[in-house]
């Protein structure tokens, strides 16, 4: 396997894991908010809005920022923020209000991963390999999302909120491991 191809595979694996969590976390938090905290439909809607709104706004900044600071730095920072700040804060929340903040942090962290990973993939896909790379990328994140949509709520149902949040941290750390190493692009190891 060529060095460029190996790096692309690492990005596919990281994308698989992050999209698994990206689909599982909102469902886990919504189930926790609804069944444990007795959130209303409006509160559930606001939880979702916090994540998508901060993601959309964050994406406006991360394209140019990844050009200046490097895609891999932003992606790794995103994964660290999720595993060390966002998920633990959600775990220890005992009411709806902190979940609004954790969902906003979740959306912002995703904005620091998805545009940079797409930029990085384009840099690692010279000439005619880009269409294949994008196809494999789309398959990887879609497969992760499919598994996360089922797996996150199932873990919540079987073992509860603490286990589902712990599993989310583990999956993000697996994504971080897939982003390990140097040589993704000059000045962006």
């Amino acid at each position: 396997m060529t060095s460029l191809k190996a790096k692309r595979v690492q990005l596919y694996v990281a994308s698989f894991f992050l999209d698994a969590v990206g689909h599982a976390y909102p469902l886990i938090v919504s189930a926790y908010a609804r069944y444990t905290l007795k959130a209303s439909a409006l509160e559930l809607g606001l939880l979702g809005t916090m994540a998508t709104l901060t993601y959309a706004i964050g994406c406006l900044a991360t394209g140019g920022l990844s050009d200046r600071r490097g895609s891999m730095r932003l992606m790794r920072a995103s994964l660290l923020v999720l595993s060390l700040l966002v998920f633990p804060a959600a775990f220890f929340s005992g009411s709806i209000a902190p979940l609004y903040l954790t969902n906003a942090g979740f959306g912002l962290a995703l904005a620091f991963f998805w545009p940079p990973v797409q930029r990085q993939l384009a840099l690692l896909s010279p000439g005619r390999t880009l269409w294949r790379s994008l196809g494999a990328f789309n398959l990887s994140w879609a497969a992760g999302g499919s598994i996360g949509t089922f797996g996150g709520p199932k873990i919540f149902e079987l073992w509860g909120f603490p286990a589902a949040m712990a599993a989310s941290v583990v999956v993000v750390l697996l994504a971080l491991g897939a982003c390990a190493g140097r040589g993704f692009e000059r000045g962006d190891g």
Side-chain angles (χ1 to χ4, degrees):
M1 185 180 310
T2 68
S3 176
L4 288 179
K5 186 173 183 179
K7 294 297 180 191
R8 289 193 304 263
V9 169
Q10 284 180 258
L11 294 178
Y12 304 150
V13 170
S15 298
F16 171 86
F17 286 129
L18 190 60
D19 215 43
V21 168
H23 281 76
Y25 172 80
L27 296 172
I28 293 165
V29 167
S30 294
Y32 171 68
R34 180 70 185 119
Y35 299 118
T36 304
L37 303 177
K38 306 299 182 203
S40 69
L42 176 63
E43 290 169 321
L44 292 175
L46 289 173
L47 282 173
T49 298
M50 292 305 292
T52 55
L53 184 61
T54 55
Y55 175 74
I57 292 168
C59 283
L60 295 174
T62 56
L65 192 57
S66 66
D67 287 339
R68 291 187 303 279
R69 298 289 182 209
S71 300
M72 297 309 297
R73 285 186 185 101
L74 295 183
M75 291 164 53
R76 290 174 185 138
S78 165
L79 298 169
L80 287 171
V81 165
L82 285 173
S83 61
L84 299 176
L85 296 175
V86 172
F87 293 164
F91 176 81
F92 289 110
S93 67
S95 67
I96 297 294
L99 292 177
Y100 293 133
L101 293 175
T102 61
N103 273 22
F106 176 72
L108 192 58
L110 292 182
F112 276 77
F113 183 87
W114 291 112
V117 77
Q118 294 169 41
R119 173 189 177 267
Q120 189 63 46
L121 189 59
L123 291 173
L124 294 171
S125 303
R128 296 183 151 193
T129 62
L130 181 58
W131 70 271
R132 285 189 193 110
S133 296
L134 291 176
F137 169 72
N138 286 328
L139 286 173
S140 66
W141 68 255
S146 297
I147 289 171
T149 301
F150 174 78
K154 193 62 180 172
I155 293 170
F156 178 88
E157 179 183 57
L158 293 173
W159 298 295
F161 184 66
M165 292 308 302
S168 296
V169 170
V170 168
V171 172
V172 169
L173 292 175
L174 290 171
L176 185 60
C179 290
R182 297 193 151 283
F184 280 93
E185 67 179 308
R186 250 182 251 137
D188 191 22

